[in-house]
Amino acid sequence: MAEVDLHLHTTQSDGRLSPRELVALVAQRGLKVVAITDHDITDGLEAAYEAASEHPQLTLIPGVELSTDIPGNEIHMLGYYMDYKARSFQEALAQYREGRVGRAQEMVRRLSELGLPVEWERVKEFAGDGTIGRPHIAQALVERGYFQYPQEAFKEYLGRNGLAYAEREKMTPQEAVQLIVGHGGVAVIAHPAPLEGIDEILADLTQAGLQGMEVHYAEYYEPTRSRLAEAAERHGLLPCGGSDYHAFGTPGEHLPGELGPPMEVALRLGELAKANAVAASSRSA
Ligand code: AMP
Ligand code: ZN
Ligand code: FE
Ligand code: FE
């Protein structure tokens, strides 16, 4: 068990635990530092902070996970400690969330053409008032009995090369880094193992202000983590990570704190954020 988990989702995006429930779980599991990193939204943080105030041994870091596009693939960018209450930050997030709605509708339309109809209303219900995403469509497909587990729906239909996949407007990874750093946050590239030409990507993004990458990622086995640790070292990036817990309830799902970076990484993340906040406020002054 790790003491630090910097990658967790709640019902504000595609996780199945509310921010309160998630905080209760991580506290019960003895975690000391956690970040909530919902997709394109920070609305869960207020309730999470309220819940965290009941657990003095627990530090909650404000986070977000932004989806970005590169040719032929996507990159997820984690942001920590940014001034998420800033109007310009919230407006940017709202714009990308809007693109998700049309795209989810399009995927539901394609599924129905493919003989797997689900009700749009039901997908929206699963998403609730947070960020809608493919896992909510997968949930509706599972409920209708087409699949036993969400991953099966991804494999043939919802994945990037799936039959029902639809694109939406996304920012570039550089834009995501700039959005985060511009608001005094620390940008960390998420689950980078599948990326081809990782050194080139990391060199470009480090130029743009990237400061960390996920290494201690629960899904990755040791050889992958070693390879990523070396890449992080080459590019001077802080080796972050966590469980990417969604409470999907699928067999083998990694639980909060199953793997995460050491405490010194969490401390360093806080130091980087302080310096970035000073730099961002002197730019806007
Ligand atoms: P979206 O934000 O709508 O693009 O959906 C991305 C989310 O779908 C990820 O954060 C994962 O939670 C989930 N996801 C992506 N690929 C898979 C997969 N192959 N199996 C299960 N879940 C997946
Ligand atoms: Zn997710
Ligand atoms: Fe991700
Ligand atoms: Fe995630």
Side-chain angles (χ1 to χ4, degrees), residues 1-8 25-35 57-59 215-218 225 239-244 254-266:
M1 264 297 286
E3 289 182 323
V4 179
D5 191 327
L6 300 176
H7 195 155
L8 298 161
L25 177 65
V26 299
Q28 184 229 320
R29 288 178 64 78
L31 278 154
K32 301 259 168 34
V33 180
V34 299
Q57 79 288 3
L58 181 69
T59 301
V215 169
H216 307 277
Y217 187 67
R225 299 202 303 264
C240 299
S243 61
D244 206 352
H254 301 286
L255 300 176
E258 238 181 76
L259 196 81
M263 186 57 77
E264 65 208 51
V265 166

